[in-house]
Amino acid sequence: MALLDTEILRSNARMVSTIGYGIWLAGYKLRDKQNLSPAVLLERHAARQPNHPALLFEGRKLTYQELNARANQYAHALERLGVQKGQVVALLMDNRIEYLVACMGANKIGVVSALINTHVVGTQLAHALKICEPSYILLGAEHTESVRDLGDALPVPAERVLMMRDGDLRAELPGSVDFDAIIDAAPAHNPEQSTKQSIHDPFVYIYTSGTTGLPKAAMMKNQRVMKAMFVFAGPVAHITPSDVVYTSGLPFYHSSGFILGYGMALVGGATCSLRRKFSASQHFDDCERDGATVFAYIGELCRYLMSSDVRPSEKRHKLRMVVGAGLRPDIWGPFVERFNIPTVREFYGATEGNVGIVNFDGKPGMLGRLMPGQVVAKAEEGTADVSRDAQTNLCTKAKPGEDGILLGQINKVNSFDGYVDKQKNAGKVLENPFGDGKNYFNTGDLVRLHDHSYVSFQDRLGDTYRWKGENVATSEVALVLTDAACIREANVYGVEVPGCDGRAGMAAVVTNGELDVPALSAHVEKSLPAYSRPLFIRVQRELQLTASFKYVKTELKAEGFDPSAVGDDPLYFWNGRSYEPLTSALHEQIVSGALRI
């Protein structure tokens, strides 16, 4: 027991040491920290190691000096258009060098980049663009069609759409601006504004489904982004300039790709190896070719790698560590053994929240140990609401072995910046839940508390489920489904699929007459990104409601998509192109893993 207690103290000491670590690593004195931002850090690396490789992408290499110079040109180009500090440029582009140039260049002059999910289309895309109130939209040529299809729903006039080529690919949008030409003509010196930015200024907006409704824009200030980057690069991964961090194709519009993947490399002055999109077959080939020493992951990515064919490169790499979230305990050991991974650093974090946990011990299945101010509170069964005492209205903390909702105390060290739309914040903050006068952020995630303050992830509660590494808001999908002429009501929820991470989308629907399968299939394919399309449809005569007129989901989740469990209700399966009847034979293929989804 004494040895275990010593290890716990040592592990907690590593976690506590994250405070102030970033200032030391960047070479800043305490009085300089108010001006610390990602762009300022880039400028410092460009001055200290100008010829060191900063980015590797599709045969291209940019040094820190070259990356900084191009970001400067981008910043000056925005200034020439009259874009000012605090204004927003919405960014819709694939993972590539220009994406990072845009974010870092905007940060130099205090312009906020709103990172738009490249998979959303139609109503969702229009909503995401509208709520960030952009002065301009920076559009990669590869996504021109998605914006063109919006028509009058585009929230800015065409002359405020800045077009950027994608290699040799050029695309036109009538009335838009050829922004490449403006950047090429701009000066490459550091803008004066870069030294005048505050650590409290917003850096980017990252979208999250939160727990309800359409996507919300979470405000990520310089301070919060830098703190996370420094934690990953410092006590978690110990990144130095000799490292090569492979982003694995994790999207930059997500924290996992941008803050974890690129952020580790930026803080450590290391080289970042980019990939446009994840490829299981090319993953370790990329790692071997670029000399990757660390790569970022999400759980779904690891499952795909485990299902891929054996390649010589999976043993010939130079990897010393992988860092990410969602590695399932059942494949943790086989993953480490097959791919010869010396160290796994699993973590937990929420884009809009203030809770961060790191599994420093490499204990399979654990998010890590609770940090000071983090609490597991008992929950109302099947909901994301904390359980309160009928007389005192106070919450109860879970005990080891019990499940509960993960909460994070809101204080100066762990602030809650929340969403750009402040009205969306109210439901995420619990005021004085334990009677000590302190407020807490509600993650909406169900975890299990173990001995020695370990926690493991159990489920995403509320009206959200996680699939293909994305959070999906059930109300958002239901709204799209009921836009189909044949659907009168829709109750959307997530169901477990054997061998898959997260939960797949399923919808119980009530139809207007007969279900028009071809029309519904076409509507879903056009209106929803692949990750949020319900894989399963269940047709019911009526939907069950609770006493408070909410849809009943617990029983539906338990019955899932098993034809033998749903009675006479017709079931349908999304085969990647359209819906088809879900037979017992097809169900067996899915649950046995013979049919990959």
Side-chain angles (χ1 to χ4, degrees):
M1 180 61 72
L3 178 60
L4 179 59
D5 290 342
T6 299
E7 275 302 305
I8 292 174
L9 290 174
R10 185 178 297 128
S11 176
N12 286 340
R14 286 199 296 269
M15 290 188 282
V16 172
S17 72
T18 62
I19 300 174
Y21 177 86
I23 305 302
W24 171 82
L25 181 61
Y28 278 83
K29 296 180 180 179
L30 290 177
R31 66 173 178 270
D32 296 322
K33 68 179 180 180
Q34 290 301 316
N35 299 102
L36 188 60
S37 68
V40 168
L41 188 54
L42 172 61
E43 291 177 3
R44 178 154 294 209
H45 286 312
R48 290 179 172 178
Q49 48 176 19
N51 299 319
H52 189 73
L55 302 176
L56 303 176
F57 175 71
E58 295 183 353
R60 297 168 60 192
K61 179 176 72 174
L62 252 66
T63 66
Y64 271 97
Q65 185 178 54
E66 291 169 335
L67 174 58
N68 185 60
R70 192 61 176 173
N72 288 338
Q73 288 182 292
Y74 178 88
H76 288 299
L78 287 184
E79 288 184 320
R80 289 184 176 184
L81 292 177
V83 184
Q84 299 179 357
K85 179 177 180 176
Q87 291 184 320
V88 177
V89 173
L91 175 55
L92 183 61
M93 185 182 293
D94 282 350
N95 278 18
R96 49 190 177 97
I97 287 174
E98 290 74 20
Y99 198 109
L100 299 175
V101 166
C103 291
M104 302 303 282
N107 188 231
K108 286 172 177 280
I109 57 175
V111 173
V112 185
S113 299
L115 312 184
I116 308 298
N117 187 327
T118 56
H119 290 97
V120 299
V121 293
T123 302
Q124 292 175 305
L125 177 57
H127 171 81
L129 291 171
K130 181 180 178 181
I131 63 173
C132 69
E133 299 181 348
S135 297
Y136 286 88
I137 296 173
L138 180 65
L139 178 61
E142 66 274 25
H143 292 289
T144 305
E145 186 176 349
S146 296
V147 170
R148 185 185 292 119
D149 289 346
L150 293 181
D152 294 339
L154 187 66
V156 300
E159 57 267 25
R160 288 188 175 269
V161 176
L162 310 176
M163 296 295 303
M164 290 190 72
R165 59 181 176 266
D166 180 10
D168 294 331
L169 175 64
R170 294 176 180 270
E172 294 184 1
L173 191 70
S176 62
V177 177
D178 179 2
F179 199 47
D180 290 299
I182 299 177
I183 296 174
D184 291 341
H189 60 77
N190 292 339
E192 294 182 7
Q193 294 296 325
S194 64
T195 60
K196 301 178 182 179
Q197 306 311 313
S198 167
I199 199 168
H200 302 293
D201 291 336
F203 173 34
V204 294
Y205 295 161
I206 295 181
Y207 288 75
T208 172
S209 295
T211 54
T212 58
L214 288 163
K216 304 173 185 67
M219 182 181 295
M220 307 294 285
K221 294 182 179 179
N222 286 326
Q223 182 179 40
R224 181 147 181 257
V225 170
M226 294 299 286
K227 177 183 176 182
M229 288 180 173
F230 279 129
V231 168
F232 288 131
V236 174
H238 306 291
I239 301 296
T240 69
S242 63
D243 279 302
V244 176
V245 178
Y246 180 53
T247 62
S248 304
L250 297 177
F252 286 152
Y253 60 76
H254 265 185
S255 300
S256 58
F258 195 173
I259 297 177
L260 170 62
Y262 175 62
M264 284 194 293
L266 175 65
V267 169
T271 302
C272 184
S273 170
L274 313 182
R275 185 172 183 90
R276 191 180 294 260
K277 295 179 181 178
F278 169 71
S279 169
S281 63
Q282 297 299 311
H283 184 90
F284 285 101
D285 288 356
D286 289 349
C287 288
E288 182 185 20
R289 182 197 64 231
D290 292 342
T293 56
V294 177
F295 75 71
Y297 72 83
I298 58 173
E300 190 76 5
L301 178 153
C302 298
R303 184 172 70 88
Y304 287 141
L305 289 174
M306 287 295 293
S307 299
S308 66
D309 294 334
V310 174
R311 302 177 70 87
S313 57
E314 66 186 47
K315 295 286 190 182
R316 296 196 304 231
H317 57 72
K318 298 179 180 178
L319 292 165
R320 61 177 179 82
M321 179 182 294
V322 297
V323 183
L327 180 56
R328 292 205 323 259
D330 60 314
I331 69 168
W332 189 307
F335 180 82
V336 167
E337 182 177 357
R338 173 179 169 178
F339 300 119
N340 192 27
I341 306 297
T343 304
V344 175
R345 287 283 185 264
E346 176 85 359
F347 77 93
Y348 167 90
T351 298
E352 76 276 29
N354 69 341
V355 178
I357 303 173
V358 179
N359 183 347
F360 284 104
D361 308 311
K363 189 176 178 65
M366 295 296 148
L367 303 177
R369 293 189 178 98
L370 294 176
M371 292 277 284
Q374 296 172 354
V375 177
V376 179
K378 289 187 177 181
E380 293 288 349
E381 184 175 356
T383 76
D385 298 325
V386 293
S387 177
R388 293 182 181 271
D389 184 272
Q391 295 182 334
T392 66
N393 199 38
L394 297 180
C395 300
T396 303
K397 296 180 181 179
K399 298 177 181 178
E402 294 181 335
D403 293 346
I405 297 178
L406 182 59
L407 309 179
Q409 187 184 123
I410 300 172
N411 50 42
K412 291 183 178 180
V413 176
N414 295 303
S415 61
F416 172 56
D417 297 326
Y419 303 111
V420 175
D421 182 355
K422 297 302 180 185
Q423 294 182 349
K424 305 294 184 182
N425 293 336
K428 303 300 295 183
V429 178
L430 300 178
E431 297 184 357
N432 194 27
F434 300 107
D436 55 5
K438 298 173 182 176
N439 297 338
Y440 287 78
F441 168 75
N442 181 356
T443 67
D445 286 336
L446 187 73
V447 299
R448 178 164 297 165
L449 182 64
H450 300 266
D451 290 336
H452 308 298
S453 297
Y454 279 108
V455 288
S456 59
F457 185 81
Q458 297 300 111
D459 197 6
R460 183 87 172 163
L461 295 175
D463 292 324
T464 304
Y465 59 87
R466 192 164 182 83
W467 181 246
K468 302 296 183 182
E470 303 269 7
N471 289 336
V472 181
T474 59
S475 58
E476 176 185 339
V477 177
L479 185 64
V480 172
L481 290 178
T482 53
D483 279 341
C486 62
I487 303 297
R488 187 169 79 230
E489 290 183 85
N491 179 10
V492 180
Y493 47 96
V495 294
E496 293 182 338
V497 179
C500 293
D501 295 313
R503 292 175 181 265
M506 185 166 182
V509 302
V510 175
T511 62
N512 291 314
E514 296 294 325
L515 181 68
D516 189 336
V517 175
L520 177 62
S521 299
H523 175 69
V524 165
E525 185 173 33
K526 178 182 178 181
S527 305
L528 289 170
Y531 66 83
S532 64
R533 293 170 192 156
L535 260 66
F536 308 103
I537 298 289
R538 176 177 179 176
V539 181
Q540 296 188 298
R541 292 183 178 180
E542 61 179 4
L543 301 182
Q544 288 184 289
L545 300 175
T546 68
S548 58
F549 300 99
K550 294 181 180 179
Y551 287 126
V552 173
K553 300 190 180 187
T554 303
E555 184 177 343
L556 292 172
K557 290 180 181 179
E559 293 172 347
F561 55 97
D562 184 352
S564 66
V566 303
D568 296 330
D569 293 347
L571 290 174
Y572 295 86
F573 168 67
W574 178 261
N575 60 22
R577 301 174 303 278
S578 63
Y579 286 108
E580 63 175 286
L582 178 54
T583 63
S584 297
L586 183 55
H587 173 266
E588 177 59 29
Q589 285 185 287
I590 296 171
V591 298
S592 68
L595 178 63
R596 293 181 60 183
I597 61 175

